[in-house]
Amino acid sequence: MELRLAITSHSARVDPLGLLLTAAAAAAWCCLPFVIFKSNRIMPGEPRALQAVLPPWGVIGLPAVLLLTAVVALGIADAKRRLIAALGAIVVLALAIAAAANALTPAGNRIVRVAPGAAFWVVLICLGLLATDAITRLRPRPLARVLLLAVCVGGGMLALRYGPFGNLSVMREYAVNAARFPLELRRHVLLAAGSLIAAVIVGLPLGILCHRTPRLRPPVLGTLGVIQTIPAIALFGILMAPLGALAGAVPAAAALGIRGIGAAPAAVALFLYSLLPIVANTVIGLRRVSQAAVEAARGMGMTARQVLARVELPLALPVILTGIRVVLVQNIGMVTVAALIGGGGLGTFVFQGIGQTAIDLVLLGAIPTVVLAFSGSVLLDALIEVLERTPSAGREAAA
Amino acid sequence: MSGTNLLRWTTLGLLLAFLIFPGRFAPVFAPLTHYGAPPIYDQGNLLMLALAQLGTVCCAAAASTLVAVGLGILVTRPAGAQFLPLSRTLVNIGQTFPPVAVLAVAVPLVGFGEKPTLIALFAYGLLPIFENTIAGLRSCPPTVLEAASGTGMSGRERLRLIELPLALPLILEGIRLSLVINVGTATIGSTVAAKGLGEVIIAGLLSSNTAFILQGGLVTGLMAVLLYDGLATLERRVSRAVPLD
């Protein structure tokens, strides 16, 4: 009712996105549960009414804050204010769900689970979209985007560490797996980044070679393209046999940790998947370097190697980095599957969770994976934009 | 050209022969097994599994094509232009979601089986199609659009008769990308009990039978390559039919 009032009073210039998000959030708020109470971690939960679980400040405060945010989303065009409203509402929403979890959990009870319900997730997504839209409209510079990401991720981690969130179901799973979590996280990052670095070391020269000898291009790119079509779990599995045989035949390889199961086949498979985007983008990037720039460099008396190092590669760098960004995001996602063959990483939690039908454990693996991939993508995007804006590169590319 | 054609039809014939008469290929896979393990997957019909996987992928692709093309049209009209920057950002964010995570999160919502796989493939397939639809619709030369308006076409007619046909090759390319990614991704669906070739691969992983892993992987890979190739041929036909300069 109040929502409709807010809409009509601003009907002169209602923001269409704000209208859509407010409608979605309001519908979820009315029809879906906000909190789910489970008597243990694998039982199906039962919804609990907000009034029954929140302390008085929350029962009035949370709807009031959300309503205020809706008014901002509907009627205020200024992107900065919309961003502040959305981020503020996300903080209040998080505090409310933590308060609900604390109120529903009997003191000292480690068996019950209190999970955010569908309404919480829908409202959170709507607020996230509002914030994303505001950021998109603000068009922040690369450095500002990285700073914003650091503040959000760092703030979120500090809040989860020191804030009142310990009774939420995901955090309960974290507490159970606290010793393993940093290890799996490290392994995840190492597998994703290690195979990326190896692929850059091999793929960059291979791409340069393909650029120089056009005859090589179709067979190399074709082979790498076919590798991409083999599903990840199959490639992991197929590599188990030769690596296992290698470890059996060459003791030194086994001593290095190369084994049929575990991280080795995963690392090799990720490396093979990573090659195509890097080689293909190196070829495209080098081909797009203007011939005039290359001629000018030659005219100045540069050797072929100098032309490559000082002119061609710097100019092709943004395109090559775009390939590296694709690989990084793809690898972080694919490492999850490596858990199936004992490769470790955050996928361990995901597949254990699927096996135990414990959704909170799935989220403990899935949410950090998404945050990792997203952060990597933002960081590399910022780097690419900085490089593209570099005046010397722009001038030479335009020449 | 005939060489490529020969390779194409041989691949297809080999794939079909293997799926219909897998028993005949037992000698090929026998060296990969140990201790008398079965060389050919024997816990289900390979052809049925392949068809089930293809069916899931095509259903998901049809749904994502409808939604993605619809959304792409919406945000390139004047009325929806305000949603364009946000939707592009969302496409970029969506690409950072690993398919396993989408799959795992869908399980508690809809249960085990085909449904979470369909949802994950649907969501994952949206992005390339959406991006290519927008790129295709925006790449229509303004002079062509003005000429269309000048001949008295309404906005809807212009969309149906000019813009969509011109954007079709790019849209098809998006569908092709999303189909190929999804044929591979669908194998992961077997971890949540969807029917498909992932079953074969996982059976191989569990019993350390490389022959099974190879069968599941190769059939999936070949299906993806053939789909990619077939759709690429279709695209070339379509773009030849649309004379645009």
Side-chain angles (χ1 to χ4, degrees):
Chain A
M1 209 54 208
E2 289 112 319
L3 280 176
R4 205 166 295 148
L5 273 177
I7 292 167
T8 43
S9 64
H10 285 268
S11 60
R13 44 184 176 84
V14 170
D15 184 273
L17 178 73
L19 189 61
L20 191 71
L21 293 179
T22 307
W29 184 266
C30 297
C31 308
L32 297 170
F34 186 76
V35 189
I36 304 281
F37 179 85
K38 301 182 222 180
S39 48
N40 66 49
R41 66 196 281 264
I42 57 170
M43 286 298 280
E46 51 195 72
R48 287 294 163 91
L50 204 57
Q51 304 87 304
V53 296
L54 277 187
W57 66 262
V59 174
I60 305 164
L62 179 61
V65 168
L66 291 180
L67 212 57
L68 198 67
T69 315
V71 172
V72 172
L74 288 167
I76 291 180
D78 179 35
K80 217 172 256 173
R81 282 186 213 170
R82 290 166 73 94
L83 181 60
I84 292 168
L87 292 181
I90 288 175
V91 171
V92 173
L93 191 70
L95 289 175
I97 197 76
N102 293 338
L104 273 175
T105 310
N109 189 326
R110 302 218 142 265
I111 295 165
V112 302
R113 288 285 189 271
V114 183
F120 170 85
W121 293 114
V122 174
V123 173
L124 184 67
I125 289 169
C126 288
L127 290 171
L129 287 176
L130 189 63
T132 310
D133 178 57
I135 295 172
T136 313
R137 288 192 202 180
L138 280 172
R139 292 172 195 277
R141 290 168 160 275
L143 189 63
R145 287 207 302 267
V146 173
L147 274 179
L148 192 63
L149 175 78
V151 167
C152 286
V153 173
M157 271 160 60
L158 284 179
L160 288 177
R161 186 95 177 74
Y162 299 106
F165 299 97
N167 277 327
L168 274 176
S169 52
V170 180
M171 294 311 287
R172 275 291 175 76
E173 293 292 346
Y174 173 75
V176 174
N177 294 292
R180 264 174 58 214
F181 187 84
L183 294 178
E184 301 292 7
L185 183 67
R186 220 182 108 230
R187 192 136 193 213
H188 199 105
V189 174
L190 278 180
L191 265 177
S195 47
L196 168 69
I197 292 168
V200 172
I201 292 173
V202 175
L204 208 57
L206 197 57
I208 295 170
L209 197 66
C210 284
H211 174 69
R212 293 275 166 87
T213 18
R215 212 157 32 86
L216 276 179
R217 248 177 257 163
V220 169
L221 292 180
T223 312
L224 294 179
V226 168
I227 292 176
Q228 294 265 324
T229 66
I230 303 173
I233 45 174
L235 191 55
F236 289 159
I238 292 168
L239 287 168
M240 284 164 74
L243 287 175
L246 181 71
V250 186
L256 280 173
I258 294 173
R259 240 171 258 115
I261 55 163
V268 176
L270 289 172
F271 162 75
L272 290 175
Y273 281 129
S274 311
L275 278 178
L276 178 70
I278 291 177
V279 175
N281 278 39
T282 307
V283 172
I284 296 169
L286 287 175
R287 203 190 298 161
R288 274 180 24 180
V289 172
S290 83
Q291 215 47 47
V294 177
E295 298 287 325
R298 282 208 197 111
M300 285 164 62
M302 285 192 190
T303 63
R305 187 173 294 180
Q306 282 172 328
V307 174
L308 181 68
R310 300 207 193 143
V311 180
E312 291 185 291
L313 279 183
L315 286 179
L317 199 56
V319 182
I320 298 173
L321 278 176
T322 311
I324 292 179
R325 188 195 83 115
V326 171
V327 168
L328 183 67
V329 169
Q330 179 186 300
N331 273 2
I332 291 174
M334 240 177 230
V335 176
T336 338
V337 185
L340 270 183
I341 53 159
L346 293 167
T348 318
F349 300 123
V350 175
F351 285 113
Q352 269 178 12
I354 291 178
Q356 304 168 2
T357 61
I359 180 58
D360 304 316
L361 192 53
V362 170
L363 289 179
L364 181 65
I367 295 175
T369 311
V370 172
V371 173
L372 266 183
F374 180 65
S375 308
S377 151
V378 169
L379 281 176
L380 273 175
D381 266 341
L383 187 62
I384 294 167
E385 210 180 308
V386 167
L387 284 173
E388 274 177 341
R389 278 190 190 173
T390 310
S392 69
R395 218 182 313 130
E396 274 167 326
Chain B
M1 193 63 204
S2 65
T4 325
N5 257 333
L6 187 69
L7 188 65
R8 185 177 297 156
W9 292 110
T10 318
T11 314
L12 183 62
L14 211 61
L15 178 64
L16 284 178
F18 177 70
L19 286 177
I20 299 169
F21 309 108
R24 299 279 170 85
F25 290 77
V28 181
F29 289 100
L32 294 169
T33 58
H34 301 288
Y35 315 115
I40 298 290
Y41 186 65
D42 53 359
Q43 294 152 34
N45 186 329
L46 280 172
L47 181 65
M48 286 304 137
L49 289 177
L51 288 179
Q53 177 162 342
L54 216 51
T56 313
V57 169
C58 288
C59 279
S64 31
T65 304
L66 273 180
V67 173
V69 172
L71 277 179
I73 292 174
L74 192 75
V75 297
T76 47
R77 301 305 100 191
Q82 215 180 349
F83 293 98
L84 183 62
L86 176 67
S87 51
R88 299 200 113 176
T89 313
L90 279 185
V91 164
N92 280 331
I93 295 179
Q95 261 155 348
T96 63
F97 274 67
V100 184
V102 181
L103 197 68
V105 173
V107 169
L109 299 177
V110 294
F112 283 86
E114 316 286 326
K115 279 190 218 155
T117 316
L118 273 174
I119 292 178
L121 294 184
F122 163 74
Y124 221 61
L126 281 176
L127 311 167
I129 306 178
F130 178 70
E131 202 157 24
N132 277 31
T133 306
I134 293 181
L137 288 174
R138 283 162 68 100
S139 69
C140 294
T143 46
V144 173
L145 298 182
E146 274 162 36
S149 302
T151 59
M153 280 192 189
S154 68
R156 192 172 293 182
E157 280 171 335
R158 204 179 69 178
L159 175 69
R160 191 165 55 86
L161 297 172
I162 309 284
E163 291 181 74
L164 276 183
L166 285 182
L168 195 57
L170 265 179
I171 297 178
L172 277 177
E173 190 195 303
I175 296 175
R176 176 170 59 125
L177 283 178
S178 111
L179 265 176
V180 169
I181 297 172
N182 278 353
V183 170
T185 311
T187 51
I188 301 174
S190 298
T191 56
V192 294
K195 279 259 166 253
L197 292 161
E199 216 176 290
V200 184
I201 300 171
I202 288 171
L205 287 176
L206 290 178
S207 58
S208 43
N209 185 339
T210 316
F212 285 7
I213 301 173
L214 207 58
Q215 280 155 34
L218 280 183
V219 173
T220 310
L222 284 181
M223 287 200 309
V225 170
L226 286 171
L227 261 179
Y228 184 89
D229 183 61
L231 285 168
T233 314
L234 185 70
E235 258 165 63
R236 277 197 295 275
R237 295 248 168 97
V238 168
S239 46
R240 233 179 286 148
V242 180
L244 173 66
D245 212 85

